[in-house]
Amino acid sequence: MFRHPLLRTCPLLRRRKLLRGSLRVQVPGGCGHGAEGGRPNVVGFRAVFPVLVLVLGLTLPTAGFLEVEMAGRTQMVFLNENATIFCKIPGFPHLDINSMGITWFRKAQLSEIEIKLFEFFGDHKVAFRPGANVSPWRLKRGDASLQLPGVQLWEAGEYRCELVVTPQKAQGRVWLEVVAHPVSSLFLERAVVKDNEDKHILCKSSGFYPEDINITWKRWTQKDPQFQEISEDVITGPTMKNKDGTFNITSYLRLKPSLEDNVTIYQCVVWHVSSLMCQSFNFTPILIESEKKTDLWIVWLYIGLISTGLIVLILFLCFFLWKRACWRVRDTGIRACQRMRDPGSWS
């Protein structure tokens, strides 16, 4: 039995029983083996190389390859808020930050030029973007995430995390999307029309980004317990851009008060990519019904005043006629008395 010389120089191979068994070669006539004796035959390197590659391939991953993990392909952050762009190092729970380095880059949406944002190598630490930082305490535990305070719309783009742990190097990329929530409100506004009857419900959304937004109207009545989408009498204006790059939009729903019921509920539904769920705003046109009741009350007031005036006038006429009749009766009585006192006046 012959033991290959590689086993004496490679402890890793010496621990592999499979390799030891495969490298033991029976040499006929070798020293101490067989009757003929002679020098042992050395196995060629070509015969050992495939087994050596197999063993190294099985053992190298146990030592750990350097790699980074990002937050998927795209990470969404909100305008004016503090953001953390994830970059973690799996398999390295404890790192020596004195023998490693981390660099962050950003590439704008329509540019091929990378801009360096942050750099850290041992005692060398530079933030090229104001406020950019990687926590040394987290970095020791395998977290090289970049912290950015007050993110703006122009900071959207591709971010690259480049990590060096001597002698290995790894990098990861992520697309950063900056969004802004729409601030929405619902209110009633009187329409300026000739008949002065039509009104508009306004649904206004402001301060959102990106520009794409969807506004729909729905209606609920006692006859139909489910909200039904309204397609008629809806006008949605164009988006208007603000100075900070965000957008505003207003949608109108026209109402005819004479046809509305005070239990009808109108709903404005706003959807934007920055929200996980749609925003819904309900409105009941009680004000319209109140105006109707007010108009009716005024009519009845006029009717009451006119009726009261007529009654007073009639009473006054009756009183006047009654007084006149009394005066006539009194005059007739006075003449009759005078005739009785002066009989000669009868002739």
Side-chain angles (χ1 to χ4, degrees):
M1 185 71 65
F2 171 71
R3 189 179 300 274
H4 196 275
L6 285 176
L7 294 176
R8 294 192 298 269
T9 60
C10 182
L12 180 61
L13 297 180
R14 194 161 56 244
R15 289 195 299 267
R16 297 286 178 172
K17 295 182 179 180
L18 177 62
L19 182 61
R20 288 202 304 268
S22 63
L23 292 179
R24 291 193 183 100
V25 182
Q26 295 291 338
V27 183
C31 182
H33 302 278
E36 297 181 0
R39 295 183 60 186
N41 294 329
V42 179
V43 179
F45 181 74
R46 291 182 180 180
V48 180
F49 181 74
V51 181
L52 179 61
V53 171
L54 176 62
V55 174
L56 292 176
L58 292 174
T59 55
L60 281 177
T62 60
F65 285 108
L66 183 65
E67 60 179 351
V68 295
E69 290 182 353
M70 313 297 286
R73 295 182 178 180
T74 304
Q75 184 176 343
M76 183 182 296
V77 298
F78 294 100
L79 176 65
N80 296 323
E81 293 188 4
N82 299 335
T84 299
I85 307 176
F86 296 100
C87 178
K88 297 188 177 181
I89 313 162
F92 289 84
H94 300 286
L95 291 172
D96 183 8
I97 62 175
N98 295 320
S99 62
M100 63 175 295
I102 177 72
T103 308
W104 276 93
F105 301 89
R106 178 179 64 85
K107 184 191 298 185
Q109 293 180 345
L110 303 177
S111 174
E112 295 298 326
I113 302 176
E114 280 191 327
I115 301 174
K116 187 180 294 186
L117 301 178
F118 181 83
E119 187 177 68
F120 175 82
F121 290 100
D123 296 333
H124 177 74
K125 181 178 179 180
V126 180
F128 300 95
R129 190 272 196 193
N133 186 43
V134 173
S135 171
W137 180 81
R138 294 181 179 273
L139 187 59
K140 291 180 181 179
R141 289 158 177 77
D143 188 353
S145 300
L146 178 66
Q147 299 171 4
L148 297 176
V151 177
Q152 300 300 306
L153 295 178
W154 57 266
E155 294 187 278
E158 184 185 68
Y159 283 71
R160 182 166 67 92
C161 170
E162 183 178 277
L163 182 70
V164 176
V165 178
T166 308
Q168 301 183 67
K169 180 179 179 180
Q171 65 178 4
R173 302 174 187 270
V174 65
W175 184 267
L176 188 70
E177 184 177 356
V178 183
V179 299
H181 284 299
V183 178
S184 304
S185 59
L186 190 65
F187 54 94
L188 179 69
E189 180 180 87
R190 183 182 295 273
V192 182
V193 291
K194 292 182 180 180
D195 56 10
N196 198 28
E197 290 183 357
D198 290 353
K199 292 180 174 59
H200 283 82
I201 301 178
L202 276 65
C203 185
K204 184 176 182 180
S205 295
S206 58
F208 59 87
Y209 186 89
E211 183 177 4
D212 294 337
I213 194 170
N214 186 33
I215 298 179
T216 56
W217 289 91
K218 296 183 179 182
R219 175 171 48 205
W220 179 94
T221 61
Q222 289 182 334
K223 297 180 180 179
D224 193 348
Q226 299 294 329
F227 276 96
Q228 300 296 326
E229 186 170 343
I230 303 173
S231 57
E232 298 180 354
D233 298 326
V234 174
I235 302 174
T236 301
T239 54
M240 306 297 292
K241 191 172 184 179
N242 300 318
K243 293 182 179 180
D244 61 354
T246 60
F247 296 90
N248 300 338
I249 193 171
T250 302
S251 182
Y252 304 82
L253 174 63
R254 187 177 65 178
L255 300 180
K256 295 181 179 180
S258 59
L259 303 177
E260 299 301 329
D261 188 2
N262 59 354
V263 296
T264 302
I265 300 176
Y266 293 92
Q267 186 179 78
C268 173
V269 182
V270 180
W271 180 88
H272 191 256
V273 68
S274 62
S275 303
L276 298 178
M277 300 179 62
C278 294
Q279 300 178 356
S280 300
F281 304 90
N282 295 339
F283 180 84
T284 302
I286 300 176
L287 180 60
I288 296 176
E289 298 299 325
S290 299
E291 291 176 353
K292 292 181 183 178
K293 294 177 181 179
T294 301
D295 295 341
L296 185 61
W297 178 80
I298 293 174
V299 171
W300 280 109
L301 178 61
Y302 283 136
I303 293 174
L305 292 175
I306 294 173
S307 301
T308 303
L310 291 174
I311 293 173
V312 171
L313 181 61
I314 292 172
L315 292 175
F316 177 77
L317 291 175
C318 292
F319 178 77
F320 176 76
L321 294 175
W322 176 77
K323 273 289 188 182
R324 186 175 181 181
C326 289
W327 290 339
R328 288 181 179 179
V329 171
R330 188 184 63 178
D331 292 343
T332 304
I334 292 173
R335 293 194 195 98
C337 290
Q338 290 177 351
R339 289 175 183 174
M340 291 178 65
R341 293 176 181 176
D342 188 9
S345 61
W346 291 17
S347 56

